[in-house]
Amino acid sequence: MERRLTAILTIDVVGYSGLMAKDEADTYERLRAERNNFVEPTVATHNGHIIKLMGDGALIEFPSVVDAVSCAIAIQEGVAKRQIEVQVDQRILFRIGINVGDVIVEEGDIYGDGVNVAARLESLAHPGGICVSRAVFEYTRGKVDHPFEAMGEHQVKNIPDPIDVYRVTMQNTVGKPPPTPRPMFRWLKLGGGGITAMLAGLVLWFQPWQPTSSPLPLQEFQAPADRPSLVVLPFDNLSADASDDYFADGLTDDLITDLSGLSGLLVIARNTAFSLTDQPVDIRDVGRKLGVRYVLDGSVRRAGDRIRINAQLIDSQTGDSLWADRIERNASDIFAVQDEVIRHIVETLSVRLSLSEQKRLERLPTQNLEAYDYYLRAEHAARTGFRPQLNEALALYTKSTELDPEFARAFAAIARTEAYVMRSNYDDVLAFPVARKRAYEHASKALKIDAELSLTYSVLAELQVIDGRYEDALISAERAVALGPNEAEAYAALNLVHTFSGRHADAVAAIETAQKLNPNLPNGTRLDASLAFMLNGQPERAVSILEQARDAAPNVDEIYTYLVAAYTLADSIELAHAAAAEAERLEANMSVELYRMKFGHLRRAEDLTIVLGALAKGGLQKWPWGFDAGTREPLTADEIRHVTFGSIWQGNVEGIGPGVTQIGTDGSLAFRTNAYIATGEVTISGDMLCERVESLSLGRTVCGPIYRNADSLVEGEYMYTYVNATKVFHFSPVD
């Protein structure tokens, strides 16, 4: 077996399925011309060798890493010039990923993790962009004419460890890179005790795969007449060290969080406020677009152990400054500074505080700064959504609660993280039943300590609706809203409960309130909102909000799957088929039956029928991995019983590899692959075999047929194929 160290470049056309759906012949001819007349000559000029063409992409090898990066830059800048006159929705743009690594060479092709990482880097690039690994960055730094920008660690599919990603900074490209999120968690010395704490916003719900801001235009809203409305603009960092940006961001975050807890104010959510970072701001324009009367603007300067904050409250309708002040304190008094700013706002706007709100403002999250330190480190790790960091976050939350057993926010946050692990079915972090049990336990603990945390009730609402406890979930969601009247996350939880309970008009009303509080909703909330719109007979609104989600995160398979249903219900079948193709390209096991399982907690059977019918009509594959029974006949119930109970199956699982299943005469199940081991039970329903494994598929039962393969099998083929929502298993019974 031949191996060699080489530079690997993968290139792919952006939105190829959509272009083909619009005009197949024209797209094919234009892509072929671009490849033959420009891309291939450019590769040859830089000493590259095209290993293979793959439909809309290519795998290319270079003996020099510098040549690979130089070639990629030449391609992207050249394509930008060649496509500038083409209509925007018809442009052929590329994404490029580059890695350097050891590869296996066989019959003119190359294989191995080096190739896989390059492909994953390509998927992270923006249209017209180039993403490279740390190794490529180290090899080429200072040797090419373009600078690099760090994108941080990314956990990518089928690569066990996170990879450090860098993008090449280019001006002359057609596509635009998304803004790189600024780090929201850094270290700040608190006083002379030497205890460190991180300043960061206590965001009450997280969407790990969301960008922190979006360049999407903001929808205009009308300012409410019943109470003052406010947006806190990101505070400017005036410190000598530009790296102190985190300090200003943290101050902004905490002010938004505390002000959002006041029922007498309407406060715009954090990620909408931060979408205005580094933009020229016209106060009147901001007020009109966000539907707020008042704007809090300010700056912060840090020098040694001293901080100076300038803040002013402005009437967006007149431009008048209603209050302005300069506050200078020791850095250890940061919470007192925040409290002073909040009280000035409350007094200026004549906001009446309830007794509980007054007590909440006076109460620090914890008296133990070391516990607070661990808590904020855990928040930082949890926000990534990556599995290794989720393990780290759970450990840090545990340390925080051990240091302060009365730290309610930490218990609520660990419950939130466990709920995320549960619904994501990350059984390698925590098995589903364990994650579910702990999430309930920690949420209950948080409530015993502080019964007025909105976050805790939002977490409980989600847990309860997944469990089918619809009335309990509604009580929890309504309590979250009552305690967090300005928190879009609370209304998002209420929308989720109403949607899955079958109260679709109420769900739409809840999400409309969330949009007023946060015009720039996170993508996870946009998905939930789209489902509410679809089931309420408003598919056009679902399409609109899903297209926003797609534009903000173009490589998320679930967004395209929701778009399949929305486009179908809106009678845009061609677009639905293109979205289905993209969803399956991004995730081969995306299927109608997978969503039968994922939406199993829809209370009304007719709602599930609407969604699954739209997915099927829109062209999404019924079973994972493109399985098609063809002419094969499914086994009857009696035949399934004969081949199943008291049997051992040995075979191959699509996308995983060899697998063995052992089924007892009582229906007990043990299933083993190189990737995981699971135990559960099997039953027969009609002519389908049903599996229930508590640690997989949200603990739900998944059913599917068993097909008999060809009568005359050649050596190495299997007698049967069993398919359900989560796997395609080709097997033969063995003694």
Side-chain angles (χ1 to χ4, degrees):
M1 180 172 58
E2 180 186 353
R3 286 183 174 271
R4 63 171 174 254
L5 185 68
T6 191
I8 309 111
L9 182 152
T10 65
I11 182 170
D12 192 47
V13 178
V14 178
Y16 182 70
S17 299
L19 291 169
M20 291 292 281
K22 290 178 182 177
D23 192 332
E24 184 176 83
D26 177 69
T27 298
Y28 174 77
E29 288 300 325
R30 289 193 297 119
L31 176 58
R32 187 173 68 169
E34 197 74 10
R35 181 185 287 161
N36 293 343
N37 300 333
F38 178 68
V39 175
E40 291 184 6
T42 304
V43 170
T45 300
H46 290 83
N47 305 309
H49 169 57
I50 297 177
I51 299 294
K52 59 183 175 183
L53 300 175
M54 302 171 290
D56 60 331
L59 175 63
I60 307 171
E61 181 184 24
F62 293 82
S64 161
V65 184
V66 174
D67 281 348
V69 175
S70 299
C71 179
I73 293 170
I75 289 174
Q76 296 293 42
E77 291 186 339
V79 167
K81 294 176 183 177
R82 295 164 65 88
Q83 295 290 314
I84 196 67
E85 299 298 328
V86 178
Q87 189 173 324
V88 173
D89 63 351
Q90 295 180 359
R91 288 175 179 169
I92 291 179
L93 302 178
F94 297 99
R95 292 188 178 94
I96 295 178
I98 307 174
N99 185 37
V100 59
D102 189 69
V103 298
I104 299 170
V105 183
E106 182 177 311
E107 297 181 355
D109 206 345
I110 57 176
Y111 306 91
D113 282 347
V115 177
N116 296 338
V117 169
R120 298 309 179 197
L121 288 165
E122 174 255 306
S123 69
L124 295 173
H126 70 276
I130 305 165
C131 281
V132 306
S133 64
R134 171 178 283 277
V136 172
F137 167 73
E138 296 291 351
Y139 273 115
T140 57
R141 182 169 47 177
K143 298 177 183 176
V144 294
D145 294 333
H146 291 65
F148 293 83
E149 181 179 354
M151 294 175 64
E153 284 190 342
H154 286 255
Q155 186 75 49
V156 295
K157 190 181 300 181
N158 296 332
I159 304 298
D161 298 319
I163 57 176
D164 285 321
V165 181
Y166 296 79
R167 68 173 168 227
V168 180
T169 303
M170 295 182 294
Q171 300 298 323
N172 300 320
T173 59
V174 179
K176 294 182 179 180
T180 300
R182 289 191 288 177
M184 297 305 300
F185 297 82
R186 302 277 185 89
W187 297 105
L188 167 70
K189 287 281 186 180
L190 289 185
I195 299 175
T196 56
M198 288 184 291
L199 274 179
L202 305 180
V203 179
L204 296 183
W205 199 253
F206 66 103
Q207 307 283 352
W209 44 275
Q210 313 307 331
T212 57
S213 62
S214 169
L216 298 170
L218 296 174
Q219 181 179 349
E220 292 192 12
F221 291 95
Q222 187 69 35
D226 61 331
R227 52 182 168 157
S229 50
L230 174 74
V231 61
V232 181
L233 296 181
F235 274 45
D236 292 327
N237 169 35
L238 301 183
S239 303
D241 188 351
S243 66
D244 277 348
D245 280 350
Y246 80 92
F247 189 93
D249 289 348
L251 174 62
T252 308
D253 257 338
D254 282 348
L255 289 172
I256 292 172
T257 298
D258 289 339
L259 288 166
S260 293
L262 306 181
S263 59
L265 271 177
L266 184 147
V267 182
I268 294 298
R270 176 200 177 279
N271 62 320
T272 292
F274 272 79
S275 70
L276 302 172
T277 300
D278 298 330
Q279 294 185 26
V281 172
D282 180 291
I283 296 298
R284 298 189 186 194
D285 190 47
V286 168
R288 184 177 65 256
K289 286 186 175 180
L290 298 183
V292 295
R293 176 71 183 270
Y294 304 104
V295 176
L296 180 66
D297 194 14
S299 63
V300 58
R301 181 190 301 273
R302 187 166 69 131
D305 289 334
R306 301 290 291 176
I307 55 173
R308 177 186 296 169
I309 292 174
N310 289 288
Q312 62 174 335
L313 185 65
I314 305 168
D315 186 325
S316 69
Q317 293 185 1
T318 65
D320 294 338
S321 177
L322 305 180
W323 164 79
D325 201 359
R326 173 187 293 176
I327 306 170
E328 188 166 350
R329 298 281 183 86
N330 286 326
S332 58
D333 293 329
I334 184 62
F335 293 125
V337 172
Q338 294 171 8
D339 183 65
E340 188 170 338
V341 172
I342 290 169
R343 292 194 179 280
H344 278 303
I345 293 170
V346 167
E347 291 171 6
T348 303
L349 300 183
S350 301
V351 177
R352 298 182 62 181
L353 301 181
S354 68
L355 183 60
S356 63
E357 288 171 344
Q358 292 179 34
K359 290 181 178 179
R360 196 182 310 153
L361 286 178
E362 293 168 357
R363 185 169 57 230
L364 289 177
T366 176
Q367 297 291 335
N368 188 318
L369 290 181
E370 189 176 2
Y372 192 60
D373 169 67
Y374 278 118
Y375 164 75
L376 291 176
R377 288 170 60 194
E379 289 282 271
H380 178 48
R383 276 194 189 179
T384 68
F386 300 151
R387 299 185 191 199
Q389 281 73 24
L390 290 173
N391 275 317
E392 178 188 355
L394 293 172
L396 290 168
Y397 283 131
T398 300
K399 288 182 180 179
S400 177
T401 55
E402 287 173 349
L403 287 166
D404 183 359
E406 299 299 310
F407 193 174
R409 282 187 181 179
F411 280 110
I414 195 171
R416 177 196 61 197
T417 306
E418 288 158 344
Y420 174 72
V421 169
M422 181 195 79
R423 70 177 183 270
S424 301
N425 214 30
Y426 287 166
D427 60 296
D428 54 339
V429 178
L430 285 176
F432 172 82
V434 176
R436 177 183 175 278
K437 179 175 181 290
R438 290 184 182 177
Y440 271 117
E441 289 175 348
H442 288 129
S444 298
K445 178 68 173 177
L447 287 181
K448 287 179 181 178
I449 300 168
D450 184 352
E452 295 188 352
L453 272 181
S454 175
L455 169 61
T456 311
Y457 290 99
S458 293
V459 174
L460 278 174
E462 181 168 5
L463 291 170
Q464 289 161 343
V465 81
I466 289 175
D467 282 348
R469 296 167 53 193
Y470 303 104
E471 285 73 22
D472 291 340
L474 180 59
I475 292 170
S476 295
E478 288 179 338
R479 183 63 176 152
V481 167
L483 292 170
N486 286 301
E487 292 170 12
E489 296 84 2
Y491 286 96
L494 184 60
N495 162 71
L496 184 73
V497 172
H498 282 319
T499 297
F500 281 88
S501 300
R503 295 182 287 266
H504 305 311
D506 291 337
V508 168
I511 204 62
E512 286 174 344
T513 302
Q515 282 183 297
K516 291 176 183 177
L517 292 168
N518 185 4
N520 188 21
L521 289 171
N523 272 352
T525 304
R526 285 170 172 159
L527 292 182
D528 295 337
S530 74
L531 188 59
F533 290 139
M534 282 187 267
L535 294 176
N536 198 47
Q538 299 171 287
E540 292 80 9
R541 294 185 71 181
V543 166
S544 176
I545 202 166
L546 286 170
E547 288 180 341
Q548 292 177 23
R550 178 200 59 200
D551 293 343
N555 293 312
V556 177
D557 48 63
E558 195 165 25
I559 295 173
Y560 290 96
T561 306
Y562 277 67
L563 272 170
V564 174
Y567 281 139
T568 301
L569 294 171
D571 294 325
S572 299
I573 297 299
E574 288 188 5
L575 291 175
H577 284 193
E582 189 66 11
E584 293 168 16
R585 185 187 73 82
L586 291 167
E587 181 53 72
N589 70 355
M590 197 61 65
S591 68
V592 174
E593 290 302 311
L594 179 65
Y595 275 82
R596 185 186 302 278
M597 179 272 291
K598 293 184 73 170
F599 287 161
H601 50 294
L602 280 167
R603 189 174 197 173
R604 301 196 320 166
E606 55 265 41
D607 289 342
L608 184 60
T609 299
I610 289 171
V611 175
L612 298 184
L615 291 174
K617 185 177 179 181
L620 189 67
Q621 60 191 4
K622 179 175 176 59
W623 301 109
W625 296 98
F627 176 78
D628 183 359
T631 59
R632 286 173 284 194
E633 291 292 328
L635 301 189
T636 65
D638 287 340
E639 289 172 325
I640 292 174
R641 190 172 291 107
H642 175 74
V643 80
T644 299
F645 294 99
S647 298
I648 297 175
W649 299 348
Q650 189 168 350
N652 189 74
V653 183
E654 291 280 358
I656 295 178
V660 176
T661 294
Q662 183 171 352
I663 303 171
T665 55
D666 60 351
S668 58
L669 168 71
F671 183 62
R672 184 179 76 251
T673 70
N674 293 332
Y676 65 92
I677 298 174
T679 59
E681 60 185 9
V682 299
T683 56
I684 296 175
S685 177
D687 289 337
M688 291 192 178
L689 180 67
C690 301
E691 293 182 342
R692 183 179 182 276
V693 177
E694 194 174 9
S695 61
L696 301 174
S697 307
L698 299 178
R700 292 175 178 159
T701 300
V702 291
C703 300
I706 298 178
Y707 291 96
R708 181 182 291 106
N709 295 324
D711 292 334
S712 55
L713 297 173
V714 299
E715 185 176 354
E717 291 185 341
Y718 298 104
M719 296 174 63
Y720 302 99
T721 296
Y722 172 49
V723 58
N724 64 29
T726 62
K727 67 183 177 186
V728 178
F729 184 31
H730 309 287
F731 71 92
S732 294
V734 297
D735 293 334

